[in-house]
Structures are given as C-alpha cells and as structure tokens.
Amino acid sequence: MNITVCVKRVPDTATRIRIAPDGRDIERDGVKYVLSPYDEFAVEAALQLVEAAGQGEVTLLSYGPESTQESLRSGLALGAHKAVLLTGTPDMDGWATARVLASELAEGDAGLVLFGVKAVDDDQQQVGPMVAELLDRPCATSVVAMDVAGDVVTCRRAVEGGQEVVEMDLPAVATITKGRYEPRYASLRGIMMAKRKPLVVKPAPEVAPGIAVESLSYPPERPEGRIVGEGTDAVPELVRLLREEAKVL
Amino acid sequence: MADVLAVAEARDGVVQGVSREVVTVARGLADALGGRVDAAVAGGRGAGEAAAALGEQGADRVLAIDGAEQVDVRAVAVAEVVRGGDYGAVVFAATGPGRDLAPRVAARLGVALLTDVVAVEIDGGRVVVTRPVFAGKALARVRALGAPALLSIRPNVFPVSDAPRAAQVEHVALSGEASAGGYRVVGFEESAGAALDVSEAAIIVSGGRGLKGPENWHLLADLRDALGETAALGASRAVVDAGWRPHAEQVGQTGKTVTPKLYFAVAISGAIQHLAGMRTSGVIVAVNRDAEAPIFGVADYGIVGDAFEIVPELATAVRKLREQQG
Ligand SMILES: Cc1cc2nc3c(=O)[nH]c(=O)nc-3n(C[C@H](O)[C@H](O)[C@H](O)COP(=O)(O)OP(=O)(O)OC[C@H]3O[C@@H](n4cnc5c(N)ncnc54)[C@H](O)[C@@H]3O)c2cc1C
Ligand SMILES: Nc1ncnc2c1ncn2[C@@H]1O[C@H](COP(=O)(O)O)[C@@H](O)[C@H]1O
C-alpha cells in the first residue's frame, strides 16, 4: 500500500514573530523554518507502516512556497520515496488548503493519507478532516498508533479521558498526534540518497478564498506580575491575593 | 441568514459546561443579526431534554439529533440541519469533540472554518473574529467570506451570560444520507485519573521537570483535589518526554493550548513553547526556586522557593479557605 503524508513548512517554534508593515502577514525574512512537529510524527508513522508491510511507497505532499523544497528533501532523507510540492502561498484558510491538497490526492493511489493533527503556526486542526470529506473517505483524528491488516486500518485515538479504538476501511485518512511514533534522524546515507529522489514541483491550482485576513496585531502585554515572597511564608499572602484581588478562589 | 446555530456538546446524556459559552456567543451574534438561536445537540438518550436548560443562555429551540453519536454521522446530521435552516453563523466549541466535528461539517457545507476564536463581532453584516496565530505570538482579525460563517470558540474565554428563554425541544430525524462510511468505533480504554481534560479545565495545576519524578505527582494531585472538581493536572513537555505523565496533559505549542481562569506552573522554567500554550490564562501563579526563571515574566503572582515545601502548604491553605467558604 502506498501512503501520502501531507506536510507543512512552518516557522520554528522558538522563532520571534514580527508583524510585517502591511499588518497582514509576518516578516518572512530571517525566520527559521521547520517541518511542523506533528507532521514529523505522521512521516514516521508512514515509514513504519510501509516497513512493516515490506512494500509500498511514501509520498510527501506540500502546498507552500518554493523554499519548501528544502523541507521536503529533509523528509526524503528520512526515507520517504518521493515528494510533490504545489507552489503557492497558503494562509490560514484551511478550507482553501484542503481543496488544493485534495485536487492532487484525488489523482493518486494512496491507500492512506496522513496529516499532522495540527500545523503549529495556524493551529486549526482542520485540514485533514476536510480533505477526507472532499475525497469521501473515513477519517480518524488524533491517532497515536495504527496497524493495517488487509483492507482495514485500526487506529488508537487520544480522546478525553482515554483512548478510543477505531477501525476504518481503506482507503482512509488519519491525523497523527504524539504517541507511538518517535521521529527518526536522517542518516548520512539517507541525506545522500535524498538528493536523487524525485521531487515534483508544480503550481497549486487556484481556489476561491473562504476567509480574508484583515490584520495581525500583537497580543496585549500581560500586566506586570509580582513576586509575593519566598518560601512557605508567602503562601497565606498568595491565597489572600488569589481570593481578594484576583477573585479566582 | 439571521439565525445562529449553536452546536452543543453532550457526553453520555450530560450537556457539557462549554455549551453554555457556545450558546452565549450564538445569542450575541443572533441579536446583532436579528435572528433566533437554535442549539443542536447529539449526545445520546436524554441529551435533548437536558439541553433545554440552554434556554437560560438564550437558545430559542433545542434540536435533538438522536442516533448520531459517531462523529461521521454527526457531521452529516449537523450539515443537514444547517442546510435546512436560515443560519448566518454556526458556533462550535474548540474542544476535542468540537475540533473533530467542525471541519467535517465545514467541508460538507463547502465553507471555511475559523477555529479557536477568542473574540467575535458582526461587521457589515459579516462575522469577523479574532484568533491567536503562531502559538499566541500574534492575533489575527479574520473575516468569513462564505455563508454561513463557521467558527469554534476557545473554552473559558467567553463569560457565560443569561438571556432566559423557554427553549422548545424538537427531535430531528436523520434522513439516512450516508456518511462516507467505513468508520467504526470498536473500543475505549479509560486512562487512570484523567476525569477532566486539561483544555477544558477552569483551574490547572501544571508540573515541570523540577518535580524530579512521577512519584512526586501526588503533591500536585492533592493541590488539584483541594481546588475542587473544575481543576485538572497539566505538565511541561520535559515531563511528558520523560514518560512521567501522559501526552494528553502536555501544555504548550506541541501540546494543548489552555485558557483556564487560574494556572499554576510548578517547577516549570517557562520555555517559549510552554508559554505559547498557557499565556492567555486568566491568572498565572508560578512556583520556582530560581528567581530568574522566565515563567516569572508572565506570572501574575510568584513564589520563589522549593515546590516540595510550598505545594503541600498551598493545598492546606486552599482547603481551609474552601471550608470557610462552605
Ligand atoms: C519544537 C518544540 C516544541 C516544544 N513544545 C513544548 C510544549 O508543547 N510544551 C512544553 O512545556 N515544552 C515544549 N518544548 C520544550 C521546551 O523548550 C522546554 O524544554 C520545556 O518546556 C522545559 O520543561 P520544564 O520547564 O519542565 O523543565 P526545565 O526547563 O528543566 O525547568 C525546570 C524548572 O524547575 C525549577 N525547579 C527545580 N527544582 C525545583 C524545586 N524543588 N522547586 C521549585 N522549582 C524547581 C527549575 O528552577 C527550573 O526552572 C518544546 C520544544 C521544542 C524544540
Ligand atoms: N500547506 C500545507 N501543505 C501540506 N499539508 C498541510 C498544509 N497545511 C496543513 N497541512 C496538513 O494539515 C495538518 C493540519 O493543519 P491545520 O489544519 O492547519 O492545523 C498539518 O499537520 C499538515 O499535515
């Protein structure tokens, strides 16, 4: 079975974010980019499933600027077989992104399409299930472990208060969260081989926007806090402040 | 296009508290648009009748969808309700079940979805929301272009307000339009002690690596118990990576984003990825033996000192206070 993993290039979590002069986007210069951390879990899940089956290929699919090629190469170095980049400028319109990705996926033969549970920049948790609806396939979200047997994939999902077990008929879609899959490191050999693996770059199809970003702003500064005191002696005063000043107890 | 649909949540027939926030927001939008609020609920036997209480927050009608517990079926049903109405907006909760459901409904309706909304208004007849982006490092003001506007609100952000109405309960029959199918829930394993999800708790007691090991978590659990049943435990990633606590409790950029009224960060340094998940909490209390720890930069109140001494003392003081309050 072939598996496609949708991956997004996002600003590194430690990056400082500065709003661009037009107030609608962030300054893109000087920002360090990485594959979104949950997408790395999804890549690892795909590699393990293919390795366990002893057959099948892993394809990486991304919608993003030309520079995304770099992230896709790093995914190929981990062991993915090929990659497709649909060039364009995704914004936080997950519905637009879902239609772009689905247009490519509808052409493919992937028995499983995997997503990160969320991209850590827009943090919407929506693109995976939207793509599933567009492809008319079942979708399990927040999956921590999965196993394929025949035409059925069994997924464990992290839900309130525990784990839910879901079976889906293939072809299917899943969004992956932290669980069984610890992302591997690229080997030197992997990095060398990645250079020769196929990476198709083509323009993303045009889709009509569903939202308009009007402006970005910085969140209000938190009011200056204070050190109530040192050691256990400060506890009564803290409790008094929480009750009388903050009114939360 | 003047009505608003509030998608309420029920588990085992019990309507979840966050639904009152959802209805409050829906009421505000409907008043601005000049329409009615319907609350849709699918949560097993009796959920519809239980949801009649949402009339308190301004629901005019409760639409009880029976037999739609599984998320794929629920998505079909909610989309059908939306198509059958005259809704300008549909409001979900950005909880686990809400996040699972909302994008499916959006895709079925062919409209965008604005998630984790922290403020909302009607501007020029359109829904305009504010939502955090880049892990809370910026706020985006975003306009929904399609109709209806779909949004999910972040729990604990919108104060519940009352606008009482006598909500009539109507049962909605599923038309039988198939979902994609091929999705079967076959099991559930409860995890020990995780009664309340950290993303929905009103109070969170989070612990970091400074607590030295999982065997010391009873200290935090005791403080949580002292704080009452709206309190839950959280953790830093260092703690989760070490295997001391489950990932479900992780707060931060690669964990959960939380907005409790009160957040305790105990022996947590306050790395940028942790702050990303909790900096919009109402009141932040930090306990750390290092006066220079970055967590004090966002804390409203801090105590410098040894968590092993301070936390038990705090639990005792909170218990005493709650006893006095009765
Ligand atoms: C891509 C990426 C994503 C990440 N996502 C997250 C995330 O989602 N959530 C998250 O939390 N982190 C995340 N991190 C990790 C983050 O950078 C920090 O490493 C982590 O938050 C540190 O956890 P900590 O504060 O528990 O541990 P430490 O940084 O080791 O801090 C321990 C603290 O305990 C204090 N202490 C020690 N002993 C005591 C005592 N007896 N009493 C009182 N205080 C004491 C110390 O002074 C110190 O401040 C991420 C990192 C990366 C690179
Ligand atoms: N531009 C994109 N290109 C490829 N995959 C994406 C893109 N945006 C989102 N995704 C996928 O969808 C997941 C969820 O994203 P989101 O709904 O934005 O939180 C991500 O973890 C990726 O797997």
Side-chain angles (χ1 to χ4, degrees), chain B residues 89-314:
Chain B
V90 182
V91 187
F92 297 84
T95 54
R99 289 181 201 278
D100 200 10
L101 175 66
R104 301 173 200 248
V105 176
R108 288 201 158 252
L109 297 171
V111 294
L113 166 68
L114 293 160
T115 64
D116 270 293
V117 166
V118 296
V120 59
E121 62 179 289
I122 300 290
D123 177 54
R126 292 280 187 183
V127 171
V128 178
V129 309
T130 304
R131 61 178 306 269
V133 286
F134 300 107
K137 291 173 197 168
L139 292 170
R141 193 179 141 88
V142 194
R143 180 176 295 264
L145 300 176
L150 263 57
L151 54 136
S152 70
I153 59 163
R154 186 171 275 186
N156 296 323
V157 171
F158 294 91
V160 170
S161 69
D162 289 350
R165 284 165 170 70
Q168 302 297 319
V169 180
E170 286 177 28
H171 288 266
V172 179
L174 293 177
S175 76
E177 181 202 334
S179 69
Y183 183 95
R184 298 174 291 279
V185 177
V186 296
F188 182 78
E189 278 172 28
E190 211 171 88
S191 61
L196 179 63
D197 193 71
V198 69
S199 60
E200 289 165 50
I203 303 178
I204 296 172
V205 181
S206 271
R209 179 150 50 196
L211 285 166
K212 312 259 181 320
E215 67 281 4
N216 296 323
W217 243 255
H218 69 274
L219 296 173
L220 296 191
D222 187 50
L223 176 56
R224 175 205 56 194
D225 293 346
L227 289 160
E229 56 198 29
T230 60
L233 291 177
S236 73
R237 169 161 152 184
V239 161
V240 172
D241 282 356
W244 301 352
R245 301 299 302 174
H247 182 248
E249 289 179 9
Q250 183 179 319
V251 171
Q253 195 162 7
T254 49
K256 298 212 167 105
T257 303
V258 299
T259 320
K261 294 186 173 70
L262 176 57
Y263 187 90
F264 289 91
V266 179
I268 291 177
S269 59
I272 188 163
Q273 297 93 348
H274 189 80
L275 301 185
M278 48 63 79
R279 69 180 316 146
T280 51
S281 302
V283 174
I284 298 172
V285 175
V287 177
N288 198 302
R289 68 174 180 199
D290 174 9
E292 303 297 317
I295 192 73
F296 287 120
V298 298
D300 299 282
Y301 305 109
I303 296 186
V304 179
D306 185 357
F308 291 94
E309 295 170 7
I310 292 163
V311 172
E313 196 74 17
L314 193 52

Side-chain angles (χ1 to χ4, degrees), chain B residues 61-105:
Chain B
R61 273 203 312 181
V62 167
L63 305 175
I65 306 168
D66 300 322
E69 265 97 296
Q70 208 167 277
V71 63
D72 56 337
V73 183
R74 201 150 23 109
V76 175
V78 172
E80 228 172 79
V81 167
V82 175
R83 279 202 210 92
D86 183 37
Y87 300 109
V90 182
V91 187
F92 297 84
T95 54
R99 289 181 201 278
D100 200 10
L101 175 66
R104 301 173 200 248
V105 176

Side-chain angles (χ1 to χ4, degrees), chain A residues 10-89:
Chain A
V10 300
D12 182 279
T13 55
T15 304
R16 219 178 120 219
I17 295 295
R18 278 170 302 128
I19 296 170
D22 75 355
R24 296 201 176 181
D25 196 6
I26 56 165
E27 294 275 14
R28 298 282 169 178
D29 288 349
V31 172
K32 186 176 165 236
Y33 286 90
V34 294
L35 273 187
S36 187
Y38 289 101
D39 299 358
E40 293 187 336
F41 294 131
V43 171
E44 182 61 34
L47 293 174
Q48 287 189 23
L49 286 170
V50 164
E51 283 161 5
Q55 51 107 355
E57 291 197 329
V58 174
T59 302
L60 306 178
L61 172 62
S62 191
Y63 164 40
E66 292 277 352
S67 53
T68 308
Q69 287 187 49
E70 188 194 325
S71 311
L72 291 173
R73 286 279 174 217
S74 68
L76 292 171
L78 296 176
H81 299 78
K82 51 188 200 258
V84 177
L85 173 61
L86 306 172
T87 54
T89 323

